[in-house]
Amino acid sequence: GVDLGERHKGPLPVDGISPSAWPENREGDSPDVFSHQYPKDIGPYLQQGAVLLDKLRRIDVPMPGKRNDGAFVDDVARYYHVMINGRPYDWINNSIFMAHVNSLLQLHGHDPIPHAYLDHLAHHLSTTQFTTVFRLHVEKKLSWPQHLGIDVT
């Protein structure tokens, strides 16, 4: 696996979001049980998500057989991390959002990736940690379910 250190307890760092608006992970009845508390105000998440999506829209689509790697994949990961933690999809299945993310990846020459534990990992890893996991998964250097130094069950 990939050692990403401990999953976050307490406020979860989300890039581009004020620390006062971060979601929080609370310990449950045992040290291995956590409860992810979504933010009360999703406005900052929608605003940051719009900024990141606008940046992604401005990237040229590659020629057939080519793909955008590196910074593009990292930007998709940051977009996913912000939006999944803001939870604008309270009443719908997050798979709809994953289809949107996979459309971005496919448009830029990548294979789609399965939803699997992606949302769970985004709820327990900082943006930097999550971006590493996402990139490795897109690059097919990880497969599900693979423990990444944290318990993903």
Side-chain angles (χ1 to χ4, degrees):
V2 176
D3 183 11
L4 297 170
E6 293 292 317
R7 60 183 167 179
H8 284 271
K9 299 174 187 173
L12 177 71
V14 178
D15 285 2
I17 304 296
S18 168
S20 64
W22 285 348
E24 187 172 345
N25 290 321
R26 297 183 184 154
E27 209 167 308
D29 295 335
S30 71
D32 295 333
V33 177
F34 286 85
S35 171
H36 184 74
Q37 305 297 311
Y38 292 99
K40 291 178 178 49
D41 179 10
I42 67 167
Y45 293 81
L46 295 175
Q47 291 171 352
Q48 182 64 13
V51 167
L52 293 167
L53 185 57
D54 186 57
K55 182 178 179 182
L56 289 166
R57 283 196 311 241
R58 294 174 187 273
I59 297 172
D60 291 334
V61 174
M63 297 295 291
K66 304 284 184 187
R67 66 181 188 199
N68 286 324
D69 287 319
F72 168 78
V73 173
D74 289 354
D75 285 342
V76 174
R78 284 188 281 276
Y79 172 62
Y80 181 91
H81 192 255
V82 164
M83 295 303 288
I84 210 72
N85 275 292
R87 197 179 188 198
Y89 312 100
D90 196 19
W91 298 106
I92 63 171
N93 188 313
N94 284 329
S95 295
I96 294 170
F97 180 56
M98 193 65 218
H100 167 66
V101 168
N102 275 328
S103 294
L104 290 170
L105 290 172
Q106 288 178 293
L107 183 63
H108 288 267
H110 295 276
D111 291 332
I113 59 175
H115 186 281
Y117 297 109
L118 203 57
D119 57 342
H120 181 77
L121 291 171
H123 292 155
H124 294 283
L125 299 175
S126 69
T127 304
T128 301
Q129 291 171 313
F130 179 77
T131 299
T132 299
V133 170
F134 188 93
R135 183 181 340 103
L136 290 171
H137 194 58
V138 168
E139 294 171 354
K140 298 183 179 171
K141 294 179 181 172
L142 291 178
S143 60
W144 302 112
Q146 186 173 14
H147 294 283
L148 308 167
I150 63 169
D151 183 18
V152 295
T153 58

